[in-house]
Amino acid sequence: GGLTDAGGWQGSVQKLDLSGKPGLSLQAPAALQLGADGMVKLGAARLALLGGSLSLADFTRQANGALSSHGNARGIRLAELGPLLKLPVEHNLQFDADWGLSPSGQGQLALWRSGGDAQLPQSKGRPVPVGLKTARVDLDLDGRRLAFKLNLDSRFAQAQGQGSLPWNGGHIDGRTPVSGTLRASLPALSTLAELSGPGLELGGQLHASLDLSGPLAAPQALGQIRGEQLKFADRRTGVALGDGTLQARIDGRRLTLQQLRFVSGKGDVTASGSLDLSDDLPDARIKVALQSFSVFDRPGRRLVVSGQSELAFVGGKLSLVGRIRADQGRIGLPKLGAPDLSGDVVVVGRQPPEPSAFASMPLTVALDLDLGDRFRFTGQGLDVELSGLVHVSANPGEAPAARGQVRVVKGRYKAYGQDLDIAFGVITFNGPLDNPLLNVQAKRRLSPVGAGVEVSGSVAAPKVRLTSDEPMAEKDRLAWLVLGRAASGDRDNNDLAASAGMMLAGSINDHIGLFDDLGVSSRKEKTLSNGTVSPAEQVVTVGRQLTRELYLGYEYGISSADQAVKLAYQLSKGWSVILRAGTAMSAESRYTLRFD
């Protein structure tokens, strides 16, 4: 090129290459004109930029600073801006653009996704694709105001927005006022379950309609949030919430929860309150009302509750107060599980478990728990119905404490291979939640002498002793408890030793829960109806208590190898009918009358 008569310069750019990231390369010569007054004019040009192409129809900068330009961009790869723009998600997004700007300050810009997708991180497994369908921004400048439109459509959410702000000659900062509207929706919350793992099930839709205003750096929102057919289910705990609805209102930096309602079982739970974000620390107060609400319902575990509670987060401190009553409860511990390592055991090479989010939270609790009159607990040999009221409290930095009593209304306790009826049971809380005081008395079912056990002390240091309704030696108490009769010499010592040898199998059965009776009993010598004599021997017994009075079992003689199916019915405390079918058939009616 060369100088013009007006003192400017006119020519062409033959070659232009910028290495590095982002890079730029001129694909064909482009005309260039420089005016003496500062005017710059670039003719049609084609550039390779950010992995795509940029076609420039014209570009002019007037001497007074006014700009004009027209052109388009195709296949621009956002990842090429990595050193300048790093997004918190993995992506391979590509964008196209068209623009036009006149010297009068009017113009348009359209930017849209033309390919690629983004992947959301997941704690376990591969990243989850967003499934972008549409991502588009349109800008329209009339010289005084800049109007914008937003359209986003993906597998998880949709959003449409529009608004405007003053142009001010291009001087826009965080104090520039903005006004607009935003409509957003999550049409299928079930898709969000992919981000949390297979044990969680979500459902329903969320919709938001908001008006935006205020400074660009901190716009304020005003509008409504609605939720329909909401569902939350956790297969691991059995918690299932369904048919949920949400009504909430946003006013600036305050969220008012007008109502959140879930249906579970024959009842429901409703929550209302507010969340204030105007200060550095959020201020939240939520009231929760439960009415015959089924917290969880699965085999071996069911809990229906009613009550009122309030959850507050004020000044960085979380508090929970209220009163909850169990309308119906059935809690069963698993029959058998793998042993757990003690908390002070460190396995080399294994990552330590992450602490709970509540472990370091300044939590204060004042909660009254009423077990009601239909609460059943099974596990570890226990099958009991409980009632009582316990006040649970906790303060930051302190272990949870409880005060109150839980009474055993009725129930059974399996010990020494026997079903023991609990005659009296009280669990007293007066300190640490995990170490209450015990006072439990249990007796062998229909025992003529009331043989049983008494448990006292605390959970951490329990004391167990044998009991009976009348004075007798400890050996006799043990015999009545294990064998169902008094000790009568060295042979019963062997019987007790054999029964003790079966305790391990019995304790395993207590965990597994296959049988109600598993052990060794003693059978006395007797003469059968055909005249033959059945000698005394040890008998392995396996049986199941079908009802409180009806028992079905199987007997195997250790010495004789005799086998029999036994059916026993207890008519009263001293009278029973016993039928046996096997190697030998027999029927007997037994009435026991003691004179000692």
Side-chain angles (χ1 to χ4, degrees):
L3 297 175
T4 63
D5 294 339
W9 184 90
Q10 184 174 355
S12 63
V13 180
Q14 297 294 317
K15 185 177 182 181
L16 176 64
D17 284 306
L18 296 178
S19 59
K21 285 191 176 183
L24 182 147
S25 176
L26 182 65
Q27 300 298 296
L32 178 63
Q33 182 179 351
L34 304 177
D37 55 359
M39 183 272 294
V40 177
K41 184 176 182 180
L42 180 65
R46 189 159 50 89
L47 303 170
L49 176 68
L50 300 176
S53 64
L54 186 148
S55 298
L56 189 65
D58 63 80
F59 175 84
T60 302
R61 180 187 181 277
Q62 303 287 355
N64 60 2
L67 298 176
S68 66
S69 177
H70 297 81
N72 62 72
R74 296 292 183 264
I76 300 299
R77 298 177 183 175
L78 200 59
E80 296 290 330
L81 287 173
L84 303 176
L85 177 64
K86 291 186 178 181
L87 298 181
V89 296
E90 297 181 11
H91 66 88
N92 59 349
L93 294 171
Q94 296 183 12
F95 285 88
D96 293 350
D98 290 334
W99 70 87
L101 179 64
S102 66
S104 61
Q106 297 180 343
Q108 302 83 32
L109 169 65
L111 176 67
W112 66 92
R113 165 197 166 271
S114 58
D117 199 1
Q119 292 81 35
L120 297 176
Q122 190 182 26
S123 58
K124 296 181 180 180
R126 295 180 298 178
V128 178
V130 174
L132 271 177
K133 302 175 184 176
T134 303
R136 183 183 179 96
V137 176
D138 290 282
L139 303 178
D140 193 345
L141 178 63
D142 62 5
R144 295 179 298 106
R145 297 189 66 82
L146 176 65
F148 57 85
K149 291 183 179 180
L150 169 69
N151 186 13
L152 178 67
D153 188 3
S154 73
R155 191 162 59 97
F156 295 105
Q158 287 87 46
Q160 297 82 36
Q162 61 181 11
S164 64
L165 49 85
W167 179 242
N168 292 333
H171 301 289
I172 299 176
D173 55 24
R175 295 171 294 178
T176 302
V178 63
S179 62
T181 61
L182 177 64
R183 305 291 182 267
S185 65
L186 279 70
L189 292 177
S190 57
T191 57
L192 298 179
E194 301 180 30
L195 304 177
S196 56
L200 192 64
E201 184 178 355
L202 301 175
Q205 306 92 35
L206 284 177
H207 308 277
S209 179
L210 306 175
D211 294 329
L212 305 176
S213 63
L216 185 60
Q220 303 292 304
L222 176 64
Q224 295 283 338
I225 300 176
R226 297 180 296 105
E228 301 169 350
Q229 300 177 347
L230 301 178
K231 180 180 181 180
F232 175 88
D234 186 358
R235 298 187 184 95
R236 292 166 293 186
T237 61
V239 175
L241 308 177
D243 198 16
T245 58
L246 169 66
Q247 290 288 339
R249 179 175 178 81
I250 294 181
D251 189 353
R253 297 183 63 82
R254 184 180 182 85
L255 172 65
T256 301
L257 182 62
Q258 297 166 321
Q259 186 185 68
L260 174 62
R261 180 178 182 269
F262 281 101
V263 175
S264 183
K266 298 181 180 180
D268 62 5
V269 55
T270 58
S272 61
S274 62
L275 172 63
D276 192 348
L277 300 174
S278 57
D279 297 330
D280 294 337
L281 292 176
D283 187 338
R285 298 178 186 274
I286 305 295
K287 292 184 177 181
V288 180
L290 304 107
Q291 183 64 41
S292 300
F293 178 72
S294 180
V295 179
F296 42 74
D297 190 356
R298 59 185 300 182
R301 181 178 296 182
R302 174 177 171 81
L303 182 60
V304 180
V305 299
S306 297
Q308 304 280 338
S309 63
E310 181 176 349
L311 183 65
F313 187 76
V314 180
K317 297 181 180 180
L318 184 65
S319 64
L320 174 63
V321 298
R323 182 185 178 95
I324 304 296
R325 174 183 170 84
D327 300 323
Q328 182 180 356
R330 184 182 69 245
I331 306 298
L333 296 182
K335 294 295 183 182
L336 188 63
D340 294 328
L341 293 176
S342 174
D344 58 354
V345 176
V346 178
V347 180
V348 177
R350 179 185 298 179
Q351 292 292 334
E354 296 184 1
S356 169
F358 295 96
S360 59
M361 185 173 291
L363 177 63
T364 301
V365 176
L367 197 62
D368 290 330
L369 301 179
D370 187 349
L371 297 183
D373 52 10
R374 298 176 62 192
F375 192 94
R376 182 182 177 189
F377 173 83
T378 58
Q380 302 298 325
L382 283 172
D383 186 351
V384 294
E385 292 185 9
L386 305 173
S387 69
L389 177 65
V390 177
H391 177 77
V392 179
S393 62
N395 294 306
E398 299 179 5
R403 298 185 184 279
Q405 282 190 340
V406 174
R407 299 177 301 279
V408 178
V409 178
K410 63 179 180 179
R412 297 182 298 168
Y413 176 57
K414 179 172 287 296
Y416 299 97
Q418 305 296 327
D419 271 325
L420 306 182
D421 290 325
I422 297 179
F424 176 81
V426 173
I427 303 173
T428 303
F429 294 87
N430 191 24
L433 180 63
D434 58 353
N435 193 28
L437 301 177
L438 305 175
N439 186 1
V440 180
Q441 298 174 9
K443 296 183 179 182
R444 175 169 172 154
R445 179 175 299 174
L446 299 175
S447 171
V449 299
V453 296
E454 180 180 88
V455 183
S456 60
S458 65
V459 170
K463 300 177 182 178
V464 182
R465 71 181 186 91
L466 300 175
T467 62
S468 61
D469 291 342
E470 55 191 70
M472 63 178 63
E474 290 295 308
K475 174 184 176 182
D476 289 329
R477 288 195 177 105
L478 181 61
W480 277 109
L481 180 64
V482 176
L483 304 176
R485 58 180 174 77
S488 58
D490 293 338
R491 186 179 64 188
D492 283 334
N493 291 337
N494 296 332
D495 294 347
L496 290 173
S499 296
M502 291 296 292
M503 288 304 171
L504 177 60
S507 63
I508 294 176
N509 172 68
D510 289 345
H511 284 288
I512 300 176
L514 293 178
F515 310 108
D516 286 321
D517 186 17
L518 175 60
V520 174
S521 61
S522 180
R523 185 170 65 190
K524 295 182 179 181
E525 178 181 300
K526 60 181 178 180
T527 303
L528 303 181
S529 58
N530 58 6
T532 61
V533 177
S534 176
E537 66 173 326
Q538 299 296 310
V539 178
V540 176
T541 62
V542 177
R544 184 79 175 178
Q545 198 77 35
L546 303 179
T547 67
R548 191 174 181 85
E549 295 82 15
L550 184 60
Y551 171 88
L552 178 64
Y554 168 78
E555 298 179 341
Y556 179 83
I558 297 178
S559 303
S560 64
D562 288 344
Q563 306 177 52
V565 175
K566 174 182 176 182
L567 184 67
Y569 188 82
Q570 194 77 30
L571 299 174
S572 66
K573 187 173 182 178
W575 188 15
S576 62
V577 176
I578 301 173
L579 303 176
R580 286 185 176 86
T583 306
M585 305 287 290
S586 68
E588 59 181 283
S589 177
R590 180 182 300 172
Y591 185 80
T592 303
L593 183 64
R594 298 184 67 253
F595 296 96
D596 54 359

